Amino acid sequence: MPLDMIIGAQWGDEGKGRVTDMLAAQTDIVARYSGGDNAGHTVTVQGDIFKLHLIPSGIIHPNTTCLIGNGVVLNPAVLLREMAMLTDRGIDVGSARLKISRNTHLITPAHIALDKAKEARRGNDAIGTTLRGIGPAYTDKTSRIGLRAELFANPEELADQIQAHIAEKNEVLTKIYDAEPLDADAVAAEYAQFAQQLREHLVYGSVFLDAALKDGRSVLAEGAQGTFLDLDHGTYPFVTSSAPTSGGVLVGLGVGPRMVGRVIGIAKAFTSRVGSGPFPSELDGELAHRLRGTGDKPWDEYGTTTGRPRRVGWLDLVMLRHAVRINGLTELVLTKLDILSGLDEIRVCNAYQLDGETIDFYPSDIPSLSRCQAVYETHPGWQEDVMGVRELANLPQAAQDYIHFVAKEGGVPVTAVSVGPGRAQVVHL
Ligand code: IMP
């Protein structure tokens, strides 16, 4: 069986969790391959809302096994809280269902303290990180001084490495950032507890997936963040510290490209972004308020992890084509079409004006991108409520035209459109 991928085609928060949930019903294994608890996946099942940050959304389906892959950075405290929340709600998170790759890197309180200290030091130039320690944990990984989950199987080595790690970070925290040092003994004791609770979940992730695929089982790679937060292909430096793109799946799970089947991009029918950085099709005022929602519903445009209001704008097809190219998308799922209902007209950015020239590609440097002005095409809107629609033919003609336009200009077939937060509120094309 192939490995299918779910990839965010924008700046994250595209609704990947709900698409994972949709596909997980027919999938044996769902695996997270990058990021950490900076992600926030909201899944609504019969009115019940699940907010997950680390555990793959597939866990909600009883017959699915979940893997936290080697490309993830894992905060064990958050993982255990999430496991407890799911257990309370009757969901089995035992070691037969939830596995952790031994190569997964750990986030510690020192990474979180450093994330906060670095953001504070950046002042007005802050990235707007989620302050979850993601960047510092990946920095340690690439500096080859990270702590891996495999240490949970070796308590003495774990204790030694935590002591050395906290001692080194305390020097940086106190001498460079003038911040409070951490208590190494307390952190070591906490991580010894985590090791006891999580040890039995450890697997050799790549070996586990290889055996499953050879055995005819299906694997779904669940994306976190999105293409424009990719360390190499996003709006650097306003990005996360990992590779949420399809290349990151292979590295982050230890699976070769010959196993890949579908590469499913997820994009909202408009655009949103949390954190700083250029956003050519950004809206403000009444229209932005309208797209964002008031924040009283869990699917309104407020960060699942931080609660920050998201910046919102029209759909940007220049971005979408970039995502199709970088990821090799085989198809696209458009989410939140229902939010566009009731607008008189809908605009779509299909090119940029840069220094008097019209361009149809996404410039990779921030100074150029900051000077880009969105060039819009205007489409008629629709007034009907589409939340109850389940067939393409029953959508208003203007909504159908909008979907076909996105597929044609994006250069990728649209295979499904979500029209509401519920599991069933999907139109399959
Ligand atoms: P970090 O990943 O916490 O270091 O944050 C870096 C940037 O990525 C910030 O702009 C965050 O707001 C953004 N970011 C990280 N994870 C997500 C996500 O899951 N959805 C949307 N934005 C995210």
Side-chain angles (χ1 to χ4, degrees):
M1 289 289 269
L3 164 83
D4 293 334
M5 304 177 177
I6 293 192
I7 308 281
Q10 295 164 323
W11 274 297
D13 309 315
E14 299 92 349
K16 295 177 293 293
R18 65 153 314 138
V19 180
T20 305
D21 176 64
M22 193 168 92
L23 296 179
Q26 311 106 46
T27 304
D28 297 307
I29 297 168
V30 179
R32 271 280 305 265
Y33 61 91
S34 78
D37 61 303
N38 48 351
H41 293 157
T42 307
V43 180
T44 310
V45 185
Q46 278 154 11
D48 260 1
I49 293 158
F50 292 85
K51 287 190 178 219
L52 296 167
H53 298 280
L54 257 179
I55 298 181
S57 312
I59 201 79
I60 297 162
H61 287 270
N63 300 323
T64 307
T65 305
C66 290
L67 172 72
I68 296 178
N70 58 274
V72 170
V73 283
L74 167 70
N75 181 333
V78 174
L79 177 64
L80 285 163
R81 275 206 298 278
E82 222 160 76
M83 288 166 70
M85 178 272 289
L86 288 168
T87 305
D88 280 352
R89 295 175 73 173
I91 292 174
D92 174 14
V93 290
S95 57
R97 287 207 67 212
L98 177 62
K99 302 188 185 288
I100 303 169
S101 171
R102 296 173 71 97
N103 296 8
T104 305
H105 278 251
L106 300 179
I107 294 178
T108 70
H111 293 134
I112 296 169
L114 272 174
D115 201 356
K116 290 179 180 160
K118 283 169 185 276
E119 278 288 89
R121 179 65 58 90
R122 287 186 193 113
N124 286 342
D125 296 326
I127 293 166
T129 75
T130 58
L131 304 177
R132 299 299 168 112
I134 306 296
Y138 278 117
T139 303
D140 277 2
K141 175 177 176 174
T142 48
S143 303
R144 295 155 295 175
I145 54 168
L147 307 172
R148 307 209 293 187
E150 65 203 7
L151 290 169
F152 287 157
N154 189 343
E156 278 175 28
E157 183 64 21
L158 174 66
D160 288 350
Q161 289 210 23
I162 289 275
Q163 290 285 351
H165 166 81
I166 299 293
E168 190 248 350
K169 296 297 183 253
N170 275 347
E171 285 217 40
V172 180
L173 283 167
T174 54
K175 292 185 181 156
I176 297 182
Y177 294 104
D178 208 14
E180 290 296 311
L182 294 156
D183 178 343
D185 291 337
V187 178
E190 196 184 19
Y191 275 64
Q193 283 283 327
F194 296 155
Q196 270 190 21
Q197 290 167 279
L198 295 173
R199 186 175 305 146
E200 63 180 5
H201 294 264
L202 295 180
V203 290
Y204 291 97
S206 170
V207 176
F208 168 73
L209 289 180
D210 186 56
L213 287 163
K214 284 188 174 142
D215 220 29
R217 279 181 286 158
S218 52
V219 179
L220 185 64
E222 176 178 9
Q225 290 81 47
T227 300
F228 292 83
L229 292 172
D230 185 279
L231 190 53
D232 285 86
H233 301 292
T235 44
Y236 189 91
F238 301 103
V239 291
T240 190
S241 299
S242 64
T245 41
S246 58
V249 177
L250 306 181
V251 180
L253 293 179
V255 178
R258 285 195 303 169
M259 306 311 285
V260 177
R262 299 162 71 186
V263 185
I264 307 164
I266 317 297
K268 272 180 196 158
F270 51 99
T271 308
S272 73
R273 162 166 219 182
V274 263
S276 320
F279 182 168
S281 67
E282 185 166 14
L283 287 166
D284 54 18
E286 187 49 38
L287 205 43
H289 188 68
R290 163 82 175 61
L291 292 180
R292 186 180 299 118
T294 47
D296 55 347
K297 295 186 286 309
W299 48 87
D300 282 348
E301 297 295 341
Y302 292 77
T304 313
T305 301
T306 59
R308 289 179 288 181
R310 295 181 189 140
R311 301 158 66 193
V312 291
W314 294 117
L315 182 65
D316 184 334
L317 291 172
V318 182
M319 287 178 67
L320 189 60
R321 287 191 288 269
H322 181 87
V324 170
R325 184 180 71 255
I326 297 287
N327 296 297
L329 298 184
T330 59
E331 60 199 90
L332 187 72
V333 174
L334 267 186
T335 58
K336 294 190 115 176
L337 186 76
D338 50 300
I339 300 296
L340 298 183
S341 298
L343 297 175
D344 290 335
E345 55 180 38
I346 295 168
R347 301 176 94 192
V348 184
C349 168
N350 207 6
Y352 297 148
Q353 276 283 327
L354 174 61
D355 302 334
E357 228 186 292
T358 304
I359 58 168
D360 65 357
F361 65 92
Y362 202 79
S364 59
D365 64 294
I366 294 294
S368 302
L369 199 52
S370 305
R371 295 198 309 279
C372 281
Q373 310 262 345
V375 179
Y376 291 110
E377 295 191 22
T378 303
H379 293 255
W382 58 90
Q383 300 308 313
E384 298 90 327
D385 178 359
V386 296
M387 294 179 87
V389 176
R390 299 292 175 267
E391 302 281 336
L392 180 68
N394 295 336
L395 282 174
Q397 190 58 47
Q400 293 186 40
D401 292 346
Y402 184 71
I403 296 165
H404 293 314
F405 176 78
V406 171
K408 180 168 156 283
E409 294 296 313
V412 66
V414 174
T415 52
V417 178
S418 83
V419 289
R423 227 180 212 176
Q425 288 178 299
V426 177
V427 176
H428 292 278
L429 273 70

